[in-house]
Amino acid sequence: MHIQLLSIDFDGTLVSRAGEPALDTQCMELIRELQDAGTMWAINTGRSVDLLESGLTDFSFPIRPDFILTSERDVFRPGQNRDKWEAFGDWNERCARDHAKLFNSAQSVLAEVVDFVNQKTKARLLYHSQGLEGLVASDDEEMKRITEFIEQARTKEPNLNYQRNTVYLRFCHADYHKGAALAELSRLTEVPRENIFAAGDHHNDISMLDGQVAALPSCPANAIPNVKDAVRAAGGYIAQGEYGAGVYEALLHFAEK
Ligand SMILES: [Mg+2]
């Protein structure tokens, strides 16, 4: 099996949440070797471009990704000045337009969610310049109650969906998620599904691990049960090792096939 494109989640997958060391040396070395051999490496994250850049610096990443897929939706490639990222194609523009339209038509549903969150939970709502972005729940149980409420409220506005990562939630258009961003990168780079490796640990990774976009899905041992179920159902690889050690193990598994 020839791996041509890697789509790897950042927090909780490449980067350990369990403390130091944050990065697995063998994993980073293997990714470097794969890059040298022509494999393209994308980080597929819920982080914004700026937060991902600070992450790459904070954790002293020894190598740079070839692409970054950020905020669970946008697709970037290196710009002329290789330190800066630029939109790859017109995807990000379309994505922004679809979200502006959605948030406009979903105003009343979002208002219901805001009321529920303010009155029935201790969760904190997150806003950005264009309005409501998402929320942070106090714990998993509270997040479960909130997502149950959203599931019922969104039946009136099916295009309104959300991405969930631990206690963080981001509202989004149902057509945009990590899997959709990866599908666009697959189209732009002309790497078919069969040659795409993906690794992730949480709810927001499932869209790239269900086998639809990447034929070589995997998760580290610390992944949540829903992710493991999705990877198993897609015939992927569930690692014994956690975080980067698990990614390393999964890469070796598929590289040797
Ligand atoms: Mg993660």
Side-chain angles (χ1 to χ4, degrees):
M1 192 74 71
H2 187 43
I3 304 175
Q4 292 177 1
L5 175 62
L6 312 177
S7 170
I8 309 181
D9 170 46
F10 194 73
D11 299 279
T13 303
L14 265 185
V15 177
S16 167
R17 265 195 259 271
E20 295 293 315
L23 300 184
D24 182 272
T25 315
Q26 280 190 307
C27 179
M28 297 318 299
E29 264 312 304
L30 182 53
I31 293 175
R32 185 205 300 273
E33 280 170 32
L34 288 166
Q35 273 186 316
D36 288 347
T39 300
M40 292 173 276
W41 169 37
I43 292 181
N44 200 337
T45 180
R47 287 186 181 227
S48 63
V49 175
D50 288 349
L51 284 179
L52 179 58
E53 275 298 347
S54 10
L56 292 171
T57 306
D58 293 347
F59 299 112
S60 313
F61 266 68
I63 43 175
R64 297 277 297 170
D66 300 288
F67 301 100
I68 58 172
L69 312 183
T70 57
S71 310
E72 291 139 348
R73 61 177 76 143
D74 290 322
V75 181
F76 291 94
R77 65 177 176 188
Q80 295 287 62
N81 168 0
R82 296 204 47 98
D83 291 340
K84 289 254 189 287
W85 298 98
E86 66 177 26
F88 194 0
D90 64 353
W91 173 263
N92 299 357
E93 233 170 84
R94 274 188 282 151
C95 174
R97 222 168 27 233
D98 287 348
H99 278 89
K101 229 185 287 169
L102 168 74
F103 287 121
N104 192 33
S105 69
Q107 275 178 33
S108 66
V109 175
L110 285 168
E112 279 179 43
V113 176
V114 167
D115 284 347
F116 175 82
V117 168
N118 284 336
Q119 288 162 20
K120 302 279 169 57
T121 79
K122 295 193 173 65
R124 187 160 53 91
L125 294 162
L126 301 174
Y127 291 87
H128 53 34
S129 56
Q130 293 95 45
L132 182 64
E133 181 179 24
L135 56 92
V136 195
S138 331
D139 53 35
D140 285 342
E141 190 279 328
E142 189 177 75
M143 181 61 98
K144 187 162 170 279
R145 283 199 294 128
I146 294 170
T147 53
E148 278 166 7
F149 182 86
I150 299 174
E151 284 299 340
Q152 162 257 310
R154 71 183 280 264
T155 53
K156 286 166 267 175
E157 193 70 50
N159 275 340
L160 177 69
N161 207 347
Y162 58 87
Q163 297 300 319
R164 178 185 165 192
N165 183 20
T166 65
V167 291
Y168 292 88
L169 180 147
R170 174 182 286 120
F171 294 104
C172 67
H173 190 292
D175 291 347
Y176 295 89
H177 39 67
K178 287 190 178 192
L182 177 56
E184 175 66 2
L185 182 61
S186 158
R187 188 184 73 79
L188 289 165
T189 55
E190 297 180 3
V191 175
R193 170 189 172 277
E194 289 65 35
N195 303 98
I196 302 177
F197 169 94
D201 72 311
H202 226 278
H203 286 289
N204 61 340
D205 295 304
I206 292 176
S207 60
M208 65 163 170
L209 299 174
D210 60 10
Q212 288 189 54
V213 188
L216 316 172
S218 70
C219 61
N222 58 285
I224 58 166
N226 290 9
V227 165
K228 289 182 179 170
D229 290 347
V231 169
R232 195 177 294 115
Y237 184 78
I238 300 167
Q240 304 279 318
E242 295 192 323
Y243 309 105
V247 176
Y248 173 71
E249 201 185 303
L251 283 170
L252 283 187
H253 169 82
F254 286 121
E256 280 163 6
K257 285 224 154 176

